[in-house]
Amino acid sequence: MSAVVRMSRRGFLKTTFSAGALILCARVLPGGALDALAAQTWHPGVYLGIEPDGTVIIVAHRSEMGTGIRTSLPMVAADELDADWRRVRVEQAIGDPRYGDQNTDGSKSIRDFYGALRQAGATARLMLERAAAARWGVPVAECRASNHQVVHTGGKTLGFGELAALAARQPVPAADELRFKAPADFRYVGHGVPIVDLAGICTGKAVYGIDARMPKMAYASIERPPVLGGRLKSHDDREVRKVRGVLRTVVLETPIPPYGFKALGGVAVIAGSSWAAMEGRKKLKVAWEAGENGSYDSAAFEKSLLETVRQPQKAVRAVGDVDAEFAKGGTVLEAEYYVPHLAHASMEPPAAVAEFKNGKVTAWAATQNPQAVQDAVAKALTIRKEDVTCHVTLLGGAFGRKSKPDYVVEAALLSKNVGRPVQVTWTREDDIAHDYYHAVAAMYLKAATDARGKPTAWLQRCAFPPIPSTFDASVRYGGDGELAQGWVDVPFAIPNLRAENGPAEPHVRIGWLRSVANIYHAFAVQSFTDELAAAAGRDRIEYFLDLLGPPRTIDFTAEGTKNANYGKPADQYPWETGRLRRVIEVVAEKSGWAKRKPEKGRALGFAAHRSFLTYVAVVVDLQVDDQGRITIPRIDMALDAGRVIHPERVTAQFEGAAVFGASLALMGEITAAHGRITQSNFDNYPVARMAEAPREVHVHIVPSDALPTGAGEPGVPPIAPAICNALFAATGRRIRRLPVKNTKLV
């Protein structure tokens, strides 16, 4: 097992780079907009260095949880630098504000930092070329970097390493002096390389959160309140202390709402090994006061949410006059949809090591957000954020769970209490029972249609406990960011359309889960669209394209609608229906949609959705046998994610999204009774095994020169509605409530 080396930030830099290296503090602009360089804002963030031996060191400031981001972002810098990838070494960044936002979520790593990493590479390249020109006494225009060396037009060459020291003395170029490669000259962008962690992962040498170790470290397993906000009435640890290896128990206080990233409280068993800590915990006798969430019952809550969406709610988008159109009578269709709580259930549960010493904390954690670790730990221990150092390990899956650092706070609190480093490891049961759950959601949709079945009026209502409620206990309505995820930005060309949002009270911690609110919004909208097409007797894809209307750019602001657009300006990332139409046409062709003949128990289902600024269309080939067992022989996915940096990694993320989405659609459900989560492990919160997973996933990347968008999450939202639409086509049974397992199919 690999040992963890502790070091300060200064020590990190000293260790990473040797004397004589060119160390570049590259400009990193939030959002990575090249034109923003004109502002000349200096944000040191991405460290790129060249050693005297020619080794190029690029510091990855994002977390690696299976997406390949520790490879993809350095690739961008290496490409602009014209480095030989075989001589590039990637180092993981600690939590530090100089790197900008390090929260690896929202499918934004590439779209936010593609421009910044290009700038880093281009800056270093120009400094090397100027150094070579100075060495040779020639104009810099006669020098060009090429494959880890600078070449003079006369044929002379100098390696990057030979130029490193002289390049370090060159002034950093102004923004308007930089030149960037043409796409045709890219060596790595759009092509890809093997991920830098491949060997370590394959040989078991890679360090994940659960592998982190510190000298004299103790281990903790925590019995937490079974109900959110529950308080400890009493505990008896006499039998616990008889377990060999157990050192002591520590009581952690129950936090006061809002819960945010605070530790949940409970009783921690401290031991000399994780095994002893977990065995000791089994002997613990505890009694709890349930608190205000003790009456939470998810079945009753489902009914109350559905009652909410049956009534008029707050309008969040209004086009035309929906009420007047419905008053005309004619054909009207309506339907209700429901998505339950979901858990992240990543393969590696939360794990972290922390040491409190001399008023400072050093942590090693499987975290998506080392800066949130600094914030949360500092608040919990009432120390300065600058006194919290967070080192990032590899993450064995995350799906949004590990952007919430409550488990690191637990380790820091316990370390302060026992006076030595402490590792906290959550069990699978801990993870399922105390997650930041995906919000339960109810949706109601209604449409009046013309003679061809096309809506002349469209009404949609949703209600779900919002994520901001985790940070402000009074929040009841969806935030702008949540509502812009497939709800207010429905792209259909319908003259009268209104979207509404109703209140919902949280009873558990609500958090981001891969693709977030898009999951339930896409399920409702894409299912209802399929229902309308079926009622009209029209081909689903032809009907969807008719709803989408002619290719155009939708200006939500002009109609008075707030559209958060994933934090990006509409002029850089417009909502273009033509791009959605294109991926639909591609997936229809690749899946053989028009050629498939109906078969008993087997059919295709379709859905299309834009999320995280990426356009995705999906066709699911689904089969149901005479026992009601479902198999998915094939899924086709077409996507337009703008310029793709690493096609293989994008393909892998969409393949993973197909499995993840199928798991949620077919079997994902978290329920609560008396405030306690009913599920506990993979036996009652299953994820797709090989028999349930799609047999084949075909990913079709549509070439695009647009700015890069997201890849990690956009593949998930269309999967559930495409599965359910295929089920309807195969069996005639319409699924309006997830998961599918709760509906008898035969």
Side-chain angles (χ1 to χ4, degrees):
M1 193 161 288
S2 302
V4 167
V5 179
R6 291 173 290 164
M7 60 183 72
S8 66
R9 184 170 63 203
R10 185 178 300 276
F12 173 78
L13 289 174
K14 285 181 177 177
T15 304
T16 301
F17 302 107
S18 67
L22 162 63
I23 304 174
L24 174 68
C25 297
R27 294 177 178 85
V28 177
L29 302 177
L34 293 177
D35 55 2
L37 277 172
Q40 289 295 304
T41 304
W42 182 260
H43 294 279
V46 179
Y47 290 93
L48 184 154
I50 300 173
E51 294 285 302
D53 68 357
T55 301
V56 170
I57 299 173
I58 303 175
V59 180
H61 69 303
R62 314 296 277 182
S63 299
E64 179 58 85
M65 47 191 160
T67 65
I69 197 63
R70 267 170 49 88
T71 303
S72 298
L73 279 176
M75 271 172 51
V76 175
D79 209 329
E80 280 295 344
L81 178 61
D82 222 321
D84 181 345
W85 184 255
R86 294 170 299 180
R87 303 180 68 183
V88 172
R89 191 172 82 227
V90 176
E91 299 284 350
Q92 180 67 48
I94 61 172
D96 192 316
R98 293 181 302 171
Y99 294 113
D101 177 12
Q102 288 181 256
N103 189 7
T104 312
D105 76 339
S107 298
K108 62 188 179 186
S109 292
I110 293 293
R111 73 172 188 257
D112 277 5
F113 293 97
Y114 172 68
L117 268 295
R118 291 192 75 186
Q119 293 161 24
T123 300
R125 170 161 46 85
L126 182 53
M127 293 169 75
L128 288 163
E129 290 170 344
R130 286 176 171 173
R135 176 76 65 84
W136 290 324
V138 300
V140 69
E142 296 179 4
C143 305
R144 285 288 182 271
S146 176
N147 196 29
H148 232 86
Q149 60 183 359
V150 177
V151 182
H152 182 250
T153 51
K156 295 180 290 189
T157 64
L158 284 168
F160 283 180
E162 296 174 274
L163 292 168
L166 183 57
R169 295 196 290 273
Q170 298 296 315
V172 177
D176 60 4
E177 294 180 284
L178 299 179
R179 70 178 196 282
F180 296 93
K181 280 186 172 181
D185 296 328
F186 286 149
R187 300 173 62 196
Y188 309 123
V189 172
H191 304 287
V193 297
I195 61 171
V196 297
D197 303 297
L198 186 61
I201 292 172
C202 291
T203 58
K205 295 179 180 177
V207 176
Y208 292 82
I210 209 164
D211 299 322
R213 296 289 183 271
M214 282 184 174
K216 300 180 181 178
M217 186 177 85
Y219 299 77
S221 186
I222 304 172
E223 185 73 14
R224 301 172 183 82
V227 179
L228 180 64
R231 295 189 173 279
L232 183 67
K233 286 174 63 177
S234 64
H235 76 287
D236 181 347
D237 65 358
R238 285 173 291 185
E239 294 300 315
V240 177
R241 287 181 275 117
K242 294 178 182 177
V243 175
R244 185 176 182 181
V246 168
L247 303 174
R248 55 181 292 194
T249 60
V250 176
V251 174
L252 294 170
E253 293 184 3
T254 298
I256 299 172
Y259 297 102
F261 298 148
K262 299 172 184 173
L264 284 172
V267 181
V269 177
I270 312 295
S273 69
S274 57
W275 174 260
M278 292 177 185
E279 287 299 299
R281 182 179 163 191
K282 294 176 184 176
K283 305 290 185 182
L284 190 63
K285 296 177 182 177
V286 290
W288 305 97
E289 292 179 355
E292 63 179 8
N293 292 313
S295 61
Y296 180 47
D297 181 281
S298 55
F301 193 59
E302 176 180 348
K303 293 179 181 177
S304 71
L305 282 184
L306 289 169
E307 290 170 359
T308 297
V309 297
R310 289 168 190 150
Q311 305 299 321
Q313 300 296 335
K314 181 177 70 174
V316 291
R317 184 185 178 191
V319 178
D321 191 337
V322 170
D323 295 330
E325 191 63 25
F326 279 126
K328 294 178 181 177
T331 302
V332 174
L333 291 89
E334 57 186 344
E336 297 171 351
Y337 301 91
Y338 181 80
V339 175
H341 285 302
L342 301 168
H344 296 81
S346 56
M347 193 54 64
E348 180 198 33
V353 178
E355 180 181 37
F356 177 83
K357 188 175 182 181
N358 299 325
K360 299 182 179 181
V361 170
T362 302
W364 292 85
T367 177
Q368 293 173 243
N369 193 349
Q371 291 159 344
V373 169
Q374 292 178 294
D375 284 332
V377 169
K379 289 178 183 175
L381 274 64
T382 60
I383 59 177
R384 299 187 312 155
K385 178 179 178 179
E386 294 75 15
D387 290 332
V388 179
T389 301
C390 181
H391 299 277
V392 180
T393 68
L394 295 184
L395 286 65
F399 313 125
R401 170 62 180 95
K402 293 169 185 173
S403 62
K404 300 101 177 167
D406 54 331
Y407 52 100
V408 194
V409 174
E410 292 176 335
L413 288 170
L414 291 172
S415 175
K416 183 179 181 180
N417 188 291
V418 303
R420 57 193 287 190
V422 173
Q423 182 182 60
V424 169
T425 303
W426 287 41
T427 64
R428 177 74 56 212
E429 288 79 3
D430 294 335
D431 190 27
I432 298 292
H434 302 290
D435 199 1
Y436 287 80
Y437 299 99
H438 182 65
V440 59
M443 282 75 55
Y444 167 82
L445 286 92
K446 178 181 178 182
T449 60
D450 61 17
R452 296 188 67 244
K454 187 174 180 180
T456 57
W458 176 289
L459 170 67
Q460 56 183 39
R461 296 192 191 108
C462 65
F464 54 87
I467 292 172
S469 66
T470 298
F471 307 95
D472 180 348
S474 67
V475 175
R476 295 291 180 270
Y477 288 90
D480 290 343
E482 293 166 305
L483 294 169
Q485 295 184 7
W487 200 244
V488 299
D489 59 337
V490 167
F492 301 144
I494 299 174
N496 305 288
L497 186 152
R498 188 166 72 236
E500 300 177 0
N501 175 232
E505 186 176 359
H507 298 282
V508 295
R509 297 187 298 182
I510 304 296
W512 305 270
L513 181 140
R514 188 180 187 181
S515 78
V516 202
N518 288 290
I519 291 177
Y520 41 80
H521 290 154
F523 173 62
V525 172
Q526 300 297 313
S527 296
F528 192 57
T529 304
D530 196 80
E531 294 207 41
L532 293 175
R538 296 173 60 182
D539 177 85
R540 271 62 166 175
I541 289 184
E542 178 270 329
Y543 182 87
F544 191 98
L545 292 175
D546 190 18
L547 273 186
L548 196 58
R552 67 194 189 285
T553 299
I554 303 177
D555 185 352
F556 291 98
T557 304
E559 64 178 41
T561 300
K562 285 185 180 177
N563 177 30
N565 204 38
Y566 301 91
K568 290 297 185 185
D571 60 340
Q572 292 182 23
Y573 293 90
W575 217 123
E576 298 175 284
T577 62
R579 295 176 71 182
L580 186 61
R581 172 178 288 271
R582 178 61 181 144
V583 297
I584 293 170
E585 292 168 345
V586 169
V587 84
E589 177 194 351
K590 298 294 185 181
S591 66
W593 175 269
K595 299 176 183 176
R596 280 288 295 270
K597 303 296 182 186
E599 297 177 44
K600 183 182 178 182
R602 183 167 182 174
L604 301 181
F606 159 78
H609 187 73
R610 175 190 186 258
S611 67
F612 303 93
L613 310 169
T614 295
Y615 303 83
V616 183
V618 170
V619 169
V620 169
D621 178 6
L622 180 142
Q623 190 167 19
V624 184
D625 68 15
D626 55 8
Q627 301 297 311
R629 291 175 297 221
I630 295 173
T631 54
I632 302 176
R634 174 175 175 137
I635 291 181
D636 282 89
M637 310 175 79
L639 65 108
D640 177 350
R643 182 172 301 286
V644 169
I645 310 306
H646 200 313
E648 183 181 89
R649 299 313 305 167
V650 169
T651 297
Q653 290 184 72
F654 275 77
E655 290 169 341
V659 178
F660 189 86
S663 283
L664 300 184
L666 297 174
M667 56 195 79
E669 182 175 32
I670 291 290
T671 58
H674 306 292
R676 300 182 178 217
I677 299 303
T678 307
Q679 291 72 26
S680 60
N681 207 318
F682 285 146
D683 60 327
N684 49 24
Y685 187 78
V687 297
R689 270 72 165 177
M690 293 187 70
E692 293 98 3
R695 302 283 172 81
E696 297 179 17
V697 179
H698 298 261
V699 179
H700 315 288
I701 300 174
V702 175
S704 173
D705 292 328
L707 289 171
T709 57
E713 297 170 269
V716 174
I719 295 294
I723 285 176
C724 293
N725 294 341
L727 267 170
F728 175 77
T731 67
R733 292 183 180 275
R734 179 65 68 182
I735 306 293
R736 297 191 180 96
R737 186 197 187 283
L738 294 180
V740 173
K741 70 175 184 180
N742 292 338
T743 299
K744 190 174 182 181
L745 298 175
V746 294

